[in-house]
Amino acid sequence: MASSTALISDTEAWKDLKGHVEDIKKIHLRDLMTDANRCQSMMMEFDGLLLDYSRQRATLETVDKLLNLAKAAQLTEKISRMFNGEHINSTENRSVLHVALRAPKDAVIKADGKNVVPEVWNVLDKIKEFSEKIRSGSWVGTTGKPLKDVIAIGIGGSFLGPLFVHTALQTDPEALESAKGRQLRFLANIDPVDVARNINGLNPETTLVVVVSKTFTTAETMLNARTLREWITAALGASAVAKHMVAVSTNLALVEKFGIDPNNAFAFWDWVGGRYSVCSAVGVLPLSLQYGFSVVEKFLKGASSIDQHFQSTPIEKNIPVLLGLLSVWNVSFLGYPARAILPYSQALEKFAPHIQQVSMESNGKGVSIDGLPLPFETGEIDFGEPGTNGQHSFYQLIHQGRVIPCDFIGIVKSQQPVYLKGEVVSNHDELMSNFFAQPDALAYGKTPEQLQKENVSENLIPHKTFSGNRPSLSLLLPELTAYNVGQLLAIYEHRVAVQGFVWGINSFDQWGVELGKVLATHVRKQLHSSRTQGTTLEGFNYSTTTLLKRYLETSSEPQM
Ligand code: F6P
């Protein structure tokens, strides 16, 4: 077993897997797929979901060795420590309890000795009451009009998760029905173009602005919040803030200082990491305003179902654990640096961008949780697009260029089925034909011999050959209701945590985003003094000085 300060790469289990890579290199996926027993063992079902990881470059022996690695990393203990509210985010001295955000009312989950579930439900009940008031029109704007449009301001974790869930629910029949006549928009980028796009076509009289920021200090969010406060007060007067602006934050003192009534603030807690916060008021408030609390509650229940599975299922049958271990295998042993997230569902178009933050901000680390430099890489480059759009964009590289392990996510029942009379299949079947075909194309490829048999001309054979042996996994969801969206979210959140637990890193801090923010502060000060006092540029290198000079000399920014 690895002691808390040892690196996982020093364990026998890690070394055993390193040696095992050579065995795997000798076997083509084409051959692995002929073993029906192996494939059957690589299917996992839970709560309506079916995971098939038979197209991973792994044998049953590989899986056993990965399970040994999990034991060496004390994975089960680490999962328990997370659920028990221990301060596993050691560099920030915090618990990691996003699971408490979706726990049933009678659950007991403690942080620092105190059950946090009642506090969670106090906020959920407050959101339910407030969103019903807004949706029913019993809370109106200053001119007496109902607030039918919502702009949620936030960035990073205070934006990507809610945007993903909103996009996923937009075409779900139940959610669609309950959102009739309402709009939800997200303002994230500090680029004033994003402000212009968000307010385009909206009237301050009928708009509610939700400022979402864990810290309430994030430069982008606060400037956007001031900009929309100006938009509201210019049209409706200073007192309109009380009716047209609310906030979600852990920093209620700064919310009040900003001018938002603390009664109109929705709290969350430092044990919720920003990128793990979609199940807090960060997501629940804007989504409840749009879809009603009862729809959003189903989303929370779906996530909670996976939490219980993750917490209590033995590791060999535990979906997030298996997914996490396979990712570690792909990154650290097979040396694949990226992962493609490919939902065959337009409703999941914002899933990859959300998982990008969850995964890359969590696991893109250079040192162990104890601060030791890592002799191996952690994290992967996550990217993705919905199928079939991706097929017509970057799949060429995935099929014949670099090897990128792919997650294929498919839905059995479409949210919006269409069948045209006379067509061979329904539109959804057409989509899903691709979902079923692509993993085999990647795994099997096409040999020169096959091409010769098809009378392909000699000069084209090298171009039309597919090496195959490219790993993927398939996750099939029964449908895409709010409940299933919650399941999907929690599977990926926990998978990322598993990877971090095995690598022995802190997946819950994000020090790597700080340096850029500090340097931007120097530039901001310089821009201000250059524009207002004509101060010459100072303290920047040749490159930045040249760029800044060009920017200042040629920019047409309004004068201060
Ligand atoms: O980009 C860094 C980060 O701290 C993220 O982790 C976080 O989700 C985002 O900024 C927004 O932070 P806040 O919710 O405090 O505005």
Side-chain angles (χ1 to χ4, degrees):
M1 266 197 187
S3 78
S4 67
T5 50
L7 292 174
I8 188 67
S9 53
D10 292 333
T11 61
E12 283 311 311
W14 182 279
K15 291 175 193 160
D16 190 27
L17 277 160
K18 275 278 172 203
H20 179 61
V21 170
E22 288 311 309
D23 305 333
I24 291 300
K25 279 190 179 160
K26 291 179 200 139
I27 323 171
H28 196 285
L29 258 176
R30 210 182 281 140
D31 301 316
L32 288 176
M33 293 302 290
T34 60
D35 180 348
N37 284 337
R38 169 190 168 275
C39 295
Q40 196 188 15
S41 306
M42 293 185 166
M43 304 275 171
M44 215 47 78
E45 277 189 77
F46 175 71
D47 197 12
L49 307 171
L50 175 62
L51 167 68
D52 170 10
Y53 60 95
S54 60
R55 288 181 196 75
Q56 288 289 304
R57 292 190 66 195
T59 58
L60 295 182
E61 194 189 347
T62 320
V63 177
D64 278 345
K65 288 180 189 299
L66 286 168
L67 293 170
N68 279 342
L69 183 71
K71 285 175 199 144
Q74 302 177 335
L75 177 64
T76 311
E77 292 83 345
K78 287 176 182 172
I79 295 171
S80 299
R81 290 179 62 202
M82 181 175 99
F83 277 88
N84 290 339
E86 291 185 38
H87 285 204
I88 62 169
N89 177 357
S90 50
T91 62
E92 296 179 319
N93 195 21
R94 288 175 183 167
S95 311
V96 175
L97 278 180
H98 44 280
V99 291
L101 300 171
R102 52 245 190 169
K105 245 181 188 160
D106 57 356
V108 177
I109 299 180
K110 290 185 180 174
D112 302 315
K114 186 175 155 216
N115 182 14
V116 296
V117 178
E119 285 179 64
V120 166
W121 275 93
N122 275 345
V123 175
L124 290 176
D125 288 338
K126 182 172 167 181
I127 293 174
K128 184 173 178 214
E129 195 189 320
F130 178 72
S131 57
E132 275 163 14
K133 272 192 206 157
I134 295 280
R135 288 169 57 80
S136 67
S138 74
W139 172 303
V140 290
T142 41
T143 57
K145 293 189 178 159
L147 301 176
K148 63 180 180 54
D149 303 315
V150 171
I151 301 177
I153 305 176
I155 198 161
S158 296
F159 156 60
L160 291 161
L163 176 68
F164 144 58
V165 180
H166 170 53
T167 313
L169 294 182
Q170 246 168 350
T171 36
D172 167 62
E174 185 192 5
L176 184 65
E177 180 61 33
S178 50
K180 267 198 180 142
R182 306 197 60 82
Q183 279 192 73
L184 172 59
R185 298 182 182 188
F186 292 91
L187 171 55
N189 201 332
I190 191 53
D191 186 342
V193 169
D194 207 9
V195 173
R197 288 183 181 187
N198 264 276
I199 60 176
N200 183 30
L202 294 192
N203 180 349
E205 284 183 285
T206 53
T207 303
L208 177 72
V209 172
V210 184
V211 185
V212 185
S213 175
K214 180 172 170 180
T215 54
F216 232 69
T217 58
T218 302
E220 294 90 336
T221 301
M222 297 325 297
L223 183 52
N224 276 334
R226 294 192 292 274
T227 308
L228 285 206
R229 184 177 60 190
E230 179 63 27
W231 178 67
I232 286 168
T233 55
L236 305 171
S239 62
V241 171
K243 286 282 176 199
H244 291 262
M245 288 188 92
V246 299
V248 175
S249 187
T250 59
N251 195 336
L252 299 182
L254 284 187
V255 170
E256 187 168 9
K257 207 166 159 207
F258 178 87
I260 292 176
D261 183 345
N263 291 319
N264 301 337
F266 298 81
F268 65 114
W269 307 271
D270 71 0
W271 42 261
V272 183
R275 55 195 174 274
Y276 296 94
S277 66
V278 56
C279 294
S280 72
V282 165
V284 175
L285 177 62
L287 293 164
S288 297
L289 288 164
Q290 179 70 1
Y291 299 109
F293 183 77
S294 66
V295 170
V296 183
E297 199 177 5
K298 290 177 188 161
F299 160 70
L300 297 178
K301 283 191 173 146
S304 174
S305 155
I306 296 296
D307 295 342
Q308 286 162 36
H309 166 80
F310 181 53
Q311 186 182 18
S312 57
T313 309
I315 55 173
E316 62 278 9
K317 291 195 163 50
N318 192 311
I319 289 178
V321 168
L322 288 167
L323 289 173
L325 290 175
L326 290 165
S327 290
V328 170
W329 170 239
N330 286 328
V331 173
S332 300
F333 298 95
L334 298 181
Y336 302 139
R339 173 170 60 194
I341 298 170
L342 308 169
Y344 278 66
S345 163
Q346 193 58 29
L348 293 178
E349 77 172 308
K350 295 295 178 192
F351 186 54
H354 176 50
I355 297 308
Q356 230 165 22
Q357 190 203 8
V358 172
S359 166
M360 293 167 79
E361 196 165 84
S362 296
N363 287 342
K365 303 288 160 69
V367 296
S368 75
I369 194 158
D370 302 306
L372 299 175
L374 293 171
F376 54 86
E377 308 263 18
T378 63
E380 60 268 277
I381 303 153
D382 286 284
F383 71 100
E385 278 291 324
T388 57
N389 298 12
Q391 290 174 203
H392 296 274
S393 166
F394 52 79
Y395 277 35
Q396 165 65 41
L397 180 143
I398 290 179
H399 280 288
Q400 288 186 316
R402 288 162 179 267
V403 178
I404 297 178
C406 296
D407 291 358
F408 289 97
I409 301 165
I411 317 290
V412 173
K413 192 174 158 216
S414 174
Q415 287 181 337
Q416 295 290 330
V418 174
Y419 173 67
L420 294 184
K421 233 176 160 187
E423 290 290 335
V424 182
V425 290
S426 70
N427 296 27
H428 187 65
D429 278 351
E430 178 67 27
L431 168 74
M432 291 300 283
S433 303
N434 291 277
F435 167 83
F436 293 111
Q438 289 290 335
D440 277 340
L442 288 167
Y444 288 81
K446 194 152 193 179
T447 64
E449 295 72 36
Q450 286 171 311
L451 292 163
Q452 268 150 5
K453 275 190 196 145
E454 289 172 14
N455 294 324
V456 171
S457 62
E458 273 309 309
N459 66 321
L460 284 182
I461 286 183
H463 299 281
K464 292 194 163 188
T465 299
F466 291 74
S467 61
N469 211 17
R470 290 160 188 263
S472 70
L473 57 85
S474 304
L475 183 63
L476 195 56
L477 278 64
E479 49 189 330
L480 197 62
T481 60
Y483 185 87
N484 305 122
V485 175
Q487 288 178 307
L488 188 61
L489 170 86
I491 286 175
Y492 274 75
E493 285 179 345
H494 296 324
R495 172 204 213 167
V496 165
V498 167
Q499 290 177 241
F501 287 150
V502 173
W503 279 320
I505 57 177
N506 184 351
S507 298
F508 306 104
D509 62 12
Q510 56 285 315
W511 299 107
V513 302
E514 296 303 325
L515 181 57
K517 289 185 195 172
V518 174
L519 298 191
T521 302
H522 297 167
V523 178
R524 187 185 301 126
K525 276 189 191 144
Q526 179 73 59
L527 287 176
H528 177 74
S529 63
S530 292
R531 288 208 194 276
T532 53
Q533 298 146 41
T535 323
T536 48
L537 298 170
E538 217 174 290
F540 299 97
N541 57 34
Y542 180 83
S543 162
T544 310
T545 305
T546 310
L547 292 165
L548 275 172
K549 230 171 140 192
R550 170 68 63 91
Y551 178 69
L552 283 165
E553 281 168 8
T554 55
S555 99
S556 56
E557 285 298 292
Q559 290 304 302
M560 282 171 252

